[in-house]
Amino acid sequence: MSIVDPALAKTGTLADQAYEALASSIISGELPPGMRMLEVELAERFGMSRGPLREAMRRLEERRLVERISQRGVRVVRLTGPKLRGIYQVRESLEGMACRLAAQNMTDTELAELRQMLEAHEAYVRDSDDYSQNRRDWDFHDRIARGSKNEMIVSLLCDDLYQLLKLYRNQHKSKPGRARRALQEHWRIFGALEDRDGELAEMLMRRHIGAALTVFEPDWACDEDEGTVPTDLVPGGLQART
Amino acid sequence: MSIVDPALAKTGTLADQAYEALASSIISGELPPGMRMLEVELAERFGMSRGPLREAMRRLEERRLVERISQRGVRVVRLTGPKLRGIYQVRESLEGMACRLAAQNMTDTELAELRQMLEAHEAYVRDSDDYSQNRRDWDFHDRIARGSKNEMIVSLLCDDLYQLLKLYRNQHKSKPGRARRALQEHWRIFGALEDRDGELAEMLMRRHIGAALTVFEPDWACDEDEGTVPTDLVPGGLQART
DNA sequence: AACATCAATAATGTTGACATTAATACGCGA
DNA sequence: TCGCGTATTAATGTCAACATTATTGATGTT
C-alpha cells in the first residue's frame, strides 16, 4: 500500500485524509521511526497544500505518533525500551479500569459476541502460534475497551495507545510461544466479565498486560541507546520520485 | 484578565499563543461552555490570521476542551454529569498508577519538598475550608504525577485531565467541608510514598479520587439534561468590541 | 398563516505566495 | 588543512484571498 492510497481517504476534510494516511503509514513502518517529515514533500505527494497537512501533523503530534523539534520540523516517533515501558504502565492502568467497567456495563449480547470471538480464536490458535499482538488479540482488547462505555477510555486506548503499540510491534520481533497462554488469559478475563466481577476482571487484565510486556523484553539490551544521533532520513528516501 | 493578554503569550508560535490564551479562557469560564468559537472573530481578536488559529483549535479539540461538529464549527465543551464521571474514572486509574510509580521513583528530595508543601497546607486549612479542588490541592496532585517519572502519565494528567476538571470546578459550586478530610488523605498518601509502598499508595489515591467526585454529586439532578438545544452564544457576546 | 423553494449571507475549508528562521555551502584567512 | 564568518538554500511560520458548504432570510404559493 502506497502512502497515497486513492481507494481509501475520500471522506472528510483533507486534513482528516492526510492524518489517516500518515498514521497508517507510520504504524505499518512505511515511514520508519526517526524519519524527517517535510511539509512540502508530503503536501505535494498528497496533492494538497500545506495548510491541511499541518493540521494533520498537529494531530499526529498530539497522539504521539510524531515528535516536533521546536522550529526544526517533525520526525516519526522512536519508541525506545523505557518509553515502551511507560506506555505499558498507562495501558495497564487504563485497560484495567476499562475491564472493571466492562464487567458492569457490557450487555449480554456483547458478552455473547465476545465468547464467539474467543471460540474462533481457539480454533485459530490450534494451527498458529502467532496470537499475542496479533489482529485477533487487538480485537479482543478493543471490544473490552468499548465495553467500558467510557468515551474517554475508548479514545485514549483505541486512538492513541493501540496505535503506538502496533507501531512498536511492527518494528520489533516479539518472541513467540505465548499464544496458548495469552488466549487462556483472555478466557479467564471473559469469565470474570460474565460473572460481572469488575474487581477480578481488572486484576486479571492488569496481569495479562504485564505479561504481554515481557514479549518484547529480550531485545532491549541493544535498543536502549537513545543517545545516538538521529538518522536523518528524508521522505523521498523510500519511494522513487517522478 | 482579557482573552488577549499582552503580558503573557510572547513566546512560541502564534498557534501556541492562541492555544494558551484560549485554553485559559475556557478553563476560567471566560468562554462559557457551549459557546460557539468563530475562527474569524477570534483571529481578529488575537491579531493573527486564521491559519495558526485553526492549529490552536485542533489542539484544543484533541485535548477535549472544545467539540467540533463536522463542518459546522467548534464549541466550548459542555461537561455533563456522566461525562465528568467518565473523566473521574480515567483519573482514578491513571493517578493511581502515577502514585504507585511515584512511590518507587520519587527522590528523597522530592519527598521532603512534598512534606513541606503539606505542612504549608496544614497551616492554610486552619483558616480556610476551601482546599479540595483548590490551587494547593492541584499542586499536590501535580507533584505526584510528575513523581511517577512517566512522561505520558504526566501529559495525560496535567495537560488534559486537570484542565478539564478545573474547568468543571469553575462552573459548578462544590460543596465545602471536605478540606480537613482531603488534607488527611493527602498525608496518608504521603506516608505510603515515604514508605515506598506503591501498592498502598495506589489504593489510597484511588479512594481519595473516588471521594473527591462526591463533592460534585449534589447538583447532578438538574445538570443531566443533555437533550436541550445548545445555546447559541457567539464570541462577541461577552466583551465590547471596538 | 404555514410551508417550501431559492437567493443572500456567513461560516469553514483550502490555496499559493510571502516572511522568517534554521541548515548548508562556500570562501577566506590563519 | 582546519576553523570561522558569511551567503545561499531550504525548511517552517504566517498571511490574505478564494472555494465550498451551511445557515439565514425572503418570497411566493397553497
Side-chain angles (χ1 to χ4, degrees):
Chain A
M1 182 178 74
S2 169
I3 194 174
V4 46
D5 187 343
L8 298 166
K10 284 286 183 189
T11 59
T13 69
L14 292 182
D16 291 337
Q17 296 173 24
Y19 171 79
E20 294 297 340
L22 289 172
S24 79
S25 293
I26 290 173
I27 293 167
S28 73
E30 193 176 343
L31 294 174
M35 169 139 99
R36 181 88 181 275
M37 294 175 74
L38 298 182
E39 294 178 3
V40 278
E41 168 90 36
L42 293 170
E44 186 190 354
R45 201 181 298 177
F46 287 123
M48 64 180 69
S49 71
R50 283 173 51 225
L53 194 104
R54 280 174 66 89
E55 293 182 27
M57 298 278 244
R58 285 267 183 207
R59 198 137 124 232
L60 291 168
E61 186 187 356
E62 287 295 311
R63 307 210 175 164
R64 302 178 170 78
L65 287 173
V66 304
E67 289 169 335
R68 162 170 262 119
I69 313 158
S70 95
Q71 249 138 347
R72 257 176 298 170
V74 141
R75 290 175 184 282
V76 176
V77 70
R78 260 173 210 285
L79 289 181
T80 60
K83 274 189 200 166
L84 183 72
R85 206 177 313 208
I87 293 171
Y88 260 85
Q89 287 161 348
V90 172
R91 185 186 175 191
E92 181 180 321
S93 66
L94 277 183
E95 214 167 318
M97 175 60 79
C99 207
R100 169 188 289 264
L101 296 171
Q104 79 183 67
N105 294 331
M106 278 181 91
T107 67
D108 292 337
T109 313
E110 287 170 330
L111 279 173
E113 287 170 1
L114 195 56
R115 155 166 267 139
Q116 277 190 300
M117 176 185 278
L118 284 178
E119 278 160 0
H121 292 183
E122 195 71 48
Y124 176 78
V125 162
R126 260 193 285 279
D127 303 330
S128 170
D129 187 51
D130 176 41
Y131 177 65
S132 189
Q133 302 276 350
N134 179 324
R135 177 174 59 76
R136 281 160 247 266
D137 188 11
W138 289 120
D139 282 345
F140 176 79
H141 289 275
D142 196 86
R143 290 281 177 114
I144 289 181
R146 296 183 199 284
S148 75
K149 306 292 163 69
N150 180 317
E151 245 183 78
M152 189 177 246
I153 289 182
V154 173
S155 76
L156 286 174
L157 286 175
C158 301
D159 296 340
D160 296 7
L161 278 180
Y162 291 172
Q163 286 191 325
L164 283 173
L165 294 176
K166 285 173 187 171
L167 162 58
Y168 191 88
R169 157 70 146 113
N170 287 335
Q171 290 167 31
H172 302 75
K173 299 290 164 281
S174 56
K175 67 177 176 193
R178 239 185 70 79
R180 185 73 238 147
R181 183 66 167 273
L183 183 53
Q184 185 185 34
E185 289 169 7
H186 284 187
W187 275 116
R188 292 213 175 113
I189 290 167
F190 173 79
L193 293 177
E194 213 173 22
D195 290 347
R196 305 293 184 184
D197 186 340
E199 199 162 342
L200 178 60
E202 174 169 17
M203 197 185 307
L204 290 173
M205 179 59 91
R206 285 181 68 152
R207 292 182 53 172
H208 175 59
I209 290 169
L213 177 57
T214 66
V215 169
F216 292 123
E217 299 261 4
D219 53 28
W220 281 2
C222 51
D223 184 65
E224 310 263 347
D225 50 82
E226 204 170 354
T228 56
V229 179
T231 59
D232 210 346
L233 299 171
V234 152
L238 279 182
Q239 290 85 6
R241 303 296 314 285
T242 54
Chain B
M1 182 179 74
S2 170
I3 195 174
V4 46
D5 187 343
L8 298 166
K10 286 284 188 195
T11 59
T13 69
L14 292 183
D16 291 337
Q17 296 172 24
Y19 170 80
E20 295 295 341
L22 289 172
S24 80
S25 292
I26 290 172
I27 293 167
S28 73
E30 193 176 343
L31 296 174
M35 168 139 98
R36 182 87 181 275
M37 294 175 74
L38 298 182
E39 294 178 2
V40 278
E41 168 90 36
L42 293 170
E44 187 189 354
R45 199 180 299 177
F46 287 124
M48 63 179 68
S49 72
R50 283 173 52 225
L53 194 103
R54 279 175 65 89
E55 293 181 29
M57 297 278 243
R58 285 270 183 204
R59 199 137 123 230
L60 291 169
E61 187 188 356
E62 287 295 310
R63 308 213 174 162
R64 302 179 171 79
L65 287 173
V66 304
E67 290 169 334
R68 161 170 263 119
I69 311 157
S70 98
Q71 247 137 348
R72 258 175 299 172
V74 142
R75 290 177 186 281
V76 176
V77 70
R78 260 175 211 283
L79 289 181
T80 61
K83 273 189 200 167
L84 183 72
R85 206 177 313 208
I87 294 172
Y88 260 85
Q89 287 162 348
V90 172
R91 185 185 176 191
E92 181 180 321
S93 67
L94 277 182
E95 214 167 318
M97 176 60 80
C99 208
R100 170 187 289 265
L101 296 171
Q104 81 184 65
N105 293 330
M106 279 181 90
T107 65
D108 292 338
T109 313
E110 287 170 330
L111 279 174
E113 287 169 2
L114 194 57
R115 155 166 267 140
Q116 278 189 300
M117 175 186 279
L118 285 179
E119 278 160 0
H121 292 184
E122 195 72 47
Y124 176 79
V125 163
R126 258 193 287 278
D127 303 330
S128 170
D129 187 53
D130 175 42
Y131 178 64
S132 190
Q133 303 276 351
N134 179 322
R135 177 173 58 77
R136 281 159 248 265
D137 188 11
W138 289 120
D139 282 345
F140 176 78
H141 288 275
D142 195 88
R143 290 282 177 112
I144 288 181
R146 295 181 200 285
S148 75
K149 305 293 161 70
N150 180 318
E151 245 182 80
M152 187 177 249
I153 289 182
V154 173
S155 75
L156 286 174
L157 287 175
C158 301
D159 297 340
D160 296 6
L161 278 180
Y162 290 171
Q163 285 192 325
L164 283 173
L165 295 176
K166 285 174 187 170
L167 161 58
Y168 190 88
R169 156 71 147 113
N170 287 336
Q171 289 168 32
H172 302 75
K173 299 289 164 282
S174 55
K175 67 176 177 195
R178 239 186 70 78
R180 185 72 239 148
R181 184 66 167 273
L183 182 54
Q184 185 185 35
E185 288 169 7
H186 284 186
W187 275 116
R188 291 212 176 113
I189 290 166
F190 174 78
L193 293 177
E194 212 173 22
D195 290 347
R196 304 295 183 182
D197 186 339
E199 198 163 343
L200 178 61
E202 174 169 16
M203 196 186 307
L204 290 173
M205 179 59 91
R206 287 183 67 155
R207 292 182 54 171
H208 175 58
I209 291 170
L213 177 58
T214 66
V215 168
F216 293 122
E217 300 261 3
D219 53 28
W220 280 1
C222 51
D223 184 64
E224 310 262 348
D225 50 80
E226 204 171 353
T228 57
V229 178
T231 60
D232 210 347
L233 300 170
V234 151
L238 280 183
Q239 290 87 3
R241 303 296 315 288
T242 54

